[in-house]
Amino acid sequence: METGLSMWTVVVAAGSGTRFGTAKQYAALAGHRVVDRSVSTAALVSDGVVVVVPPLDVGAESARWGAAEVVAGGPSRAASVRNGLAAVPGDAAIICVHDAARPLADPDIYRRVVHEVRSGAAGAVPVVPVTDTIRRVDGGVVDRSTLRAVQTPQAFRAEVLQAAYADGADATDDAGLVEAAGHAVVAVEGHRRNIKITHPDDLAAAEVWLAT
Ligand code: CTP
Ligand code: MG
């Protein structure tokens, strides 16, 4: 990572994997657990990493991650992010938030979002074009040329993100919360291979991406 302002990453891995069927963050992907891949990449590019895991797993995961802070998550993703942010040191200038469920995020995506924040943006998110035709449930096709699918890692000025979460709001998307607080968030190029493991067949797709 570029030198200068310190950058920490919060990896949220405290979900229950309802759609996947089990705690997908612990599923094996080409020999390494999904969460291990996400944390390893975060550690490569960050000055420090906070891993947020289900409360019962804090002991076991702390033992695995000597170099990372491990804290307990909450009942929603937003609650888990908030717990992670509480463990980020006050002198961190930039904070990335990453879903453990995106184990194929590579250092380049981190560099792109962090570069925007170092260049003055309040926040930056990786996006990819929407390839499916999108239809409203009440009828009518949406013009997909105006739409982008949002990925993680997302990067923010630390004080902006901490303030957005301090208000106690609940959001599925960190950038949405920061925008609601009145800050502009810029989009950078994400990557098609940076898929989110949601259903079991996504794990098979990730194995294919890893092999290509
Ligand atoms: N997450 C979290 N704490 C929660 C819920 C989600 O840390 N209470 C994390 C997940 O572990 C995941 C990321 O947020 O890395 C994105 O959430 P999602 O893909 O929805 O994962 P799950 O909530 O585990 O899956 P599901 O919604 O199918 O239960
Ligand atoms: Mg979920």
Side-chain angles (χ1 to χ4, degrees):
M1 212 24 68
E2 298 164 52
T3 51
L5 306 172
S6 106
M7 189 282 262
W8 276 63
T9 298
V10 173
V11 178
V12 283
S16 47
T18 315
R19 288 166 289 180
F20 190 82
T22 62
K24 61 193 182 184
Q25 60 272 46
Y26 305 132
L29 169 56
H32 299 279
R33 300 184 315 166
V34 165
V35 62
D36 296 355
R37 290 182 177 276
S38 293
V39 173
S40 300
T41 306
L44 270 181
V45 297
S46 311
D47 296 299
V49 178
V50 176
V51 191
V52 187
V53 300
L56 291 176
D57 300 342
V58 170
E61 294 303 315
S62 303
R64 281 182 101 102
W65 294 109
E69 292 261 359
V70 179
V71 302
S76 65
R77 181 184 182 278
S80 294
V81 173
R82 191 172 284 114
N83 290 359
L85 290 177
V88 174
D91 62 359
I94 297 171
I95 302 176
C96 287
V97 181
H98 182 56
D99 288 339
R102 292 189 190 268
L104 303 185
D106 64 15
D108 277 343
I109 299 186
Y110 277 91
R111 289 193 187 101
R112 285 202 282 275
V113 290
V114 169
H115 176 77
E116 293 298 327
V117 176
R118 287 193 195 282
S119 305
V125 300
V127 300
V128 289
V130 174
T131 53
D132 289 324
T133 296
I134 306 288
R135 192 176 169 79
R136 294 187 198 279
V137 286
D138 57 359
V141 169
V142 181
D143 176 11
R144 74 171 172 239
S145 68
T146 65
L147 301 178
R148 297 292 181 272
V150 178
Q151 304 181 332
T152 71
Q154 304 185 355
F156 304 94
R157 284 214 307 272
E159 76 274 12
V160 166
L161 188 64
Q162 293 281 17
Y165 270 96
D167 291 344
D170 204 59
T172 51
D173 182 64
D174 311 300
L177 207 53
V178 164
E179 281 177 328
H183 301 280
V185 172
V186 302
V188 307
E189 228 179 289
H191 201 294
R192 254 159 51 71
R193 72 182 268 143
N194 183 21
I195 59 171
K196 183 160 76 77
I197 309 293
T198 303
H199 299 103
D201 54 4
D202 295 321
L203 202 57
E207 301 256 2
V208 172
W209 277 115
L210 273 173
T212 57

